[in-house]
Amino acid sequence: MELRSVEELMDLLYACRAERPGGGPADPHGHALRTAALLRRRRPADKELQVAGLVSPVGRLLWPGDGPARTADAVRPLLGARVARLVARRAHPGAGAHDDDLVSLRQADDEARTADFDAGVLEDWRTVLELTAARNARLGLVD
């Protein structure tokens, strides 16, 4: 499956919320929002890194037990190669030990498991997703 629009991606992210109503530490939707919010605080200019933190629950929803690589494949056409690479490598602890972006993503991911703060709502991220998709589309036309 390839995601072709931000609307499709938003629908899937909203479906992740419905997967475990009520939130809690195992809530993939809340965890993704907290991860993205932490990355926004630490690296406000790096929208692709923030988006990589946000989209991770999509794979678990579509392919339980087989998430990161397939999530990366699904988001690559819409969000680009960098987001896909970060999503795919995020789950492999030994990979990318010297990649600052991957280290930041993993740290935010770990912290989001125990952090307790209001990370906002998914709709807050629509514009960031649209900007990232538009940038990727422009780059795709040039390459």
Side-chain angles (χ1 to χ4, degrees), residues 9-73:
L9 178 56
M10 291 291 289
D11 288 345
L12 285 172
L13 289 168
Y14 275 117
C16 292
R17 178 183 63 187
E19 186 179 299
R20 176 151 181 165
D27 170 28
H29 176 82
H31 179 258
L33 285 174
R34 287 188 302 276
T35 301
L38 289 166
L39 290 165
R40 179 183 272 175
R41 289 177 188 173
R42 293 177 186 153
R43 308 260 300 269
D46 195 341
K47 304 303 183 205
E48 290 177 334
L49 181 62
Q50 296 164 24
V51 166
L54 182 68
V55 300
S56 64
V58 169
R60 289 188 296 259
L61 180 69
L62 295 174
W63 307 284
D66 190 24
R70 294 190 73 183
T71 303
D73 291 340

Side-chain angles (χ1 to χ4, degrees), residues 52-110:
L54 182 68
V55 300
S56 64
V58 169
R60 289 188 296 259
L61 180 69
L62 295 174
W63 307 284
D66 190 24
R70 294 190 73 183
T71 303
D73 291 340
V75 302
R76 182 176 287 109
L78 181 63
L79 301 175
R82 180 173 177 238
V83 173
R85 179 185 59 82
L86 289 167
V87 168
R89 295 180 70 198
R90 167 186 191 168
H92 303 290
H98 301 292
D99 181 337
D100 289 341
D101 296 337
L102 203 50
V103 169
S104 292
L105 180 58
R106 287 182 183 140
Q107 287 173 343
D109 182 56
D110 289 343

